[in-house]
């Protein structure tokens, strides 16, 4: 039994068959559903928003791990809570007052996460550990699925791991497959997001198992 959690990213699913594609990973022992929300400003792509999260909530029992790649995330926290998000992750680069925003996420009943882009240093989160349930280390530039894993970014996981942050998930996102998952886990990750690797696999269950191993 491994204690690695796997969160398939539905950015790589077929949006016309989302229920089918969510059921598929749920049956294959996924732990969370990772939902990428993009606004075309913070990242150069637009994906989905609150109404889709609300609909997804009705078709899965798995926790919804919502990754906000949007400017001014503080404006939408209550809406995502009402839609059924369980974990809400904002980007460090988008908020001048991360403590306030993280507290707002928690007071809305969700777990609070923060993510850093590849060029953002790990230690910027030092003042925030008391406010956090999850740290999301990006190993690609956020915006698109199917990109190449940036191994240097995985070293940031090692920094957080060395701090022994009790009760904070260390999640990694971008270019995760059977090979790169090993690097991420060796450096301290305990939640693996994967889009293309899972959704393009001929056998989704095997793909998820291979990440947990
Ligand atoms: C990228 C998103 C990721 C993406 C991962 O901005 O945050 O969650 O869907 O996709 P893969 O696993 O294909 O790199
Ligand atoms: Zn993501």
């Amino acid at each position: 039994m491994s204690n690695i959690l796997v969160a398939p990213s539905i950015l790589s699913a077929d949006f016309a068959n989302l229920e089918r594609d969510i059921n598929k990973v749920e049956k294959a022992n996924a732990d969370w559903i990772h939902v990428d929300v993009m606004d075309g400003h913070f990242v150069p792509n637009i994906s989905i928003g609150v109404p889709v999260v609300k609909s997804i909530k009705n078709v899965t029992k798995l926790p919804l791990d919502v990754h906000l790649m949007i400017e001014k995330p503080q404006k939408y926290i209550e809406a995502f809570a009402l839609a059924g998000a369980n974990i809400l992750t904002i980007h460090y680069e988008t908020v001048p007052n991360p403590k306030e925003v993280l507290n707002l996420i928690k007071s809305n009943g969700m777990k609070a996460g923060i993510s850093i882009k590849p060029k953002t240093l790990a230690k910027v989160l030092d003042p925030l550990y008391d406010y956090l349930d999850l740290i999301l280390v990006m190993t690609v530039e956020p915006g698109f699925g199917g990109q190449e894993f940036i191994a240097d970014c995985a070293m940031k996981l090692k920094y957080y791991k060395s701090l022994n942050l009790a009760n904070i998930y260390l999640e990694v996102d971008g270019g995760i497959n059977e090979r790169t998952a090993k690097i991420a886990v060796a450096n301290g990750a305990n939640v693996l997001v994967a889009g293309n690797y899972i959704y393009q696999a001929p056998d989704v269950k095997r793909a998820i198992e291979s990440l947990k191993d």
Side-chain angles (χ1 to χ4, degrees):
M1 269 299 278
S2 91
N3 37 23
I4 303 298
L5 303 182
V6 173
S9 165
I10 56 163
L11 191 62
S12 301
D14 176 357
F15 282 169
N17 290 287
L18 258 188
E19 180 172 7
R20 179 199 70 191
D21 281 2
I22 287 170
N23 287 340
K24 196 191 277 183
V25 295
E26 188 164 358
K27 281 204 193 91
N29 299 326
D31 297 285
W32 298 349
I33 299 295
H34 185 81
V35 184
D36 289 303
V37 175
M38 305 179 183
D39 66 353
H41 292 280
F42 177 63
V43 291
N45 195 11
I46 299 173
S47 58
I48 55 171
V50 172
V52 175
V53 172
K54 194 172 172 194
S55 296
I56 290 171
K57 191 70 187 174
N58 294 325
V59 302
T60 182
K61 290 195 176 64
L62 295 181
L64 300 184
D65 172 35
V66 178
H67 177 190
L68 297 183
M69 287 162 274
I70 63 174
E71 289 178 358
K72 298 194 171 41
Q74 62 276 14
K75 286 169 63 179
Y76 305 97
I77 286 165
E78 195 186 349
F80 280 105
L82 291 171
N86 300 90
I87 304 151
L88 196 64
T89 298
I90 57 167
H91 263 271
Y92 175 81
E93 301 84 1
T94 60
V95 284
N97 53 343
K99 290 180 186 172
E100 264 171 55
V101 183
L102 292 166
N103 277 338
L104 190 60
I105 293 173
K106 289 191 185 188
S107 66
N108 275 275
M110 299 174 286
K111 288 198 187 300
I114 202 155
S115 181
I116 53 170
K117 288 168 70 164
K119 292 192 183 80
T120 303
L121 299 176
K123 67 175 186 331
V124 301
L125 301 186
D126 284 351
L128 302 177
Y129 303 132
D130 288 343
Y131 299 79
L132 284 173
D133 299 302
L134 178 146
I135 294 171
L136 172 53
V137 172
M138 291 305 301
T139 42
V140 298
E141 283 298 336
F144 300 91
Q147 301 181 79
E148 190 83 20
F149 179 81
I150 306 168
D152 278 356
C153 294
M155 298 312 287
K156 296 183 205 174
L157 291 159
K158 196 173 230 162
Y159 173 72
Y160 298 125
K161 166 92 170 164
S162 75
L163 301 175
N164 283 316
L165 302 165
N167 307 319
I168 298 183
Y169 290 107
L170 291 182
E171 184 176 47
V172 63
D173 183 4
I176 293 294
N177 56 38
E178 193 172 357
R179 178 183 64 83
T180 58
K182 288 197 180 90
I183 302 170
V185 171
N187 284 289
N190 50 29
V191 185
L192 303 171
V193 176
N196 273 22
Y197 177 66
I198 290 174
Y199 276 107
Q200 289 186 2
D203 182 340
V204 168
K205 194 162 185 189
R206 258 221 52 202
I208 291 177
E209 270 165 18
S210 75
L211 296 178
K212 293 196 184 211
D213 284 345

